[in-house]
Amino acid sequence: MGRVMTILWLLLIGVILGAGYIRLAPSDPAEWHVAPQGETDRDFKGGILRVVQTGPDGLARFDAIARVAPRTKVLAGSVEEGMITYISRTKVIGFPDYTTAQQDGDNLRIHGRLRFGRKDFGVNKARVDGWLGQM
């Protein structure tokens, strides 16, 4: 029984440390604040790419929506710069997802992706498509 309890305690400590790392790991703008690449909409296991014709003010309108979204903050960039990367975190564990939006003439390119894991279960698609729907 003592050995089972030791294993359970070690597992619990591992889960707590893993959750702490996920929530507190630094986000390097050099790694995540990169221009979205692509000319057409695509869905991936870990994210999405959207290319939307919005007119020249698309990034400003997108930014206004993203900034008021729950658990979302700006990692880097600005409307004036023409590109912004946001971090959105899940409610319980705080898994970070990154969304980069870039104005390219009348087109807005948006790349939403996860940081941890291989599959996001459609979370980035729902978030980005929801924000676009509000525009």
Side-chain angles (χ1 to χ4, degrees):
M1 186 67 164
R3 178 174 234 144
V4 171
M5 288 304 291
T6 300
I7 292 171
L8 288 175
W9 277 109
L10 289 173
L11 285 173
L12 180 62
I13 290 168
V15 167
I16 291 170
L17 289 174
Y21 177 75
I22 287 168
R23 185 167 287 277
L24 301 173
S27 297
D28 182 5
E31 182 177 349
W32 297 103
H33 186 59
V34 295
Q37 301 295 313
E39 299 299 321
T40 59
D41 291 355
R42 293 190 326 220
D43 294 354
F44 311 104
K45 283 185 180 180
I48 65 156
L49 174 70
R50 294 290 181 260
V51 181
V52 183
Q53 191 169 32
T54 61
D57 67 337
L59 183 59
R61 291 186 289 136
F62 187 84
D63 180 56
I65 293 164
R67 283 183 185 263
V68 298
R71 299 173 306 282
T72 298
K73 66 178 188 172
V74 173
L75 172 67
S78 67
V79 172
E80 294 76 26
E81 185 181 302
M83 185 169 78
I84 306 172
T85 298
Y86 308 91
I87 301 176
S88 300
R89 293 188 175 272
T90 60
K91 193 172 191 174
V92 177
I93 295 181
F95 281 102
D97 289 327
Y98 299 89
T99 304
T100 302
Q102 179 188 35
Q103 189 73 51
D104 181 18
D106 285 344
N107 290 329
L108 183 63
R109 282 191 179 78
I110 305 160
H111 183 204
R113 66 257 188 224
L114 56 74
R115 175 172 180 174
F116 298 106
R118 294 189 186 126
K119 186 174 180 180
D120 73 350
F121 301 99
V123 171
N124 284 293
K125 179 178 181 173
R127 179 185 306 108
V128 171
D129 287 349
W131 291 351
L132 288 172
Q134 293 179 48
M135 291 178 63

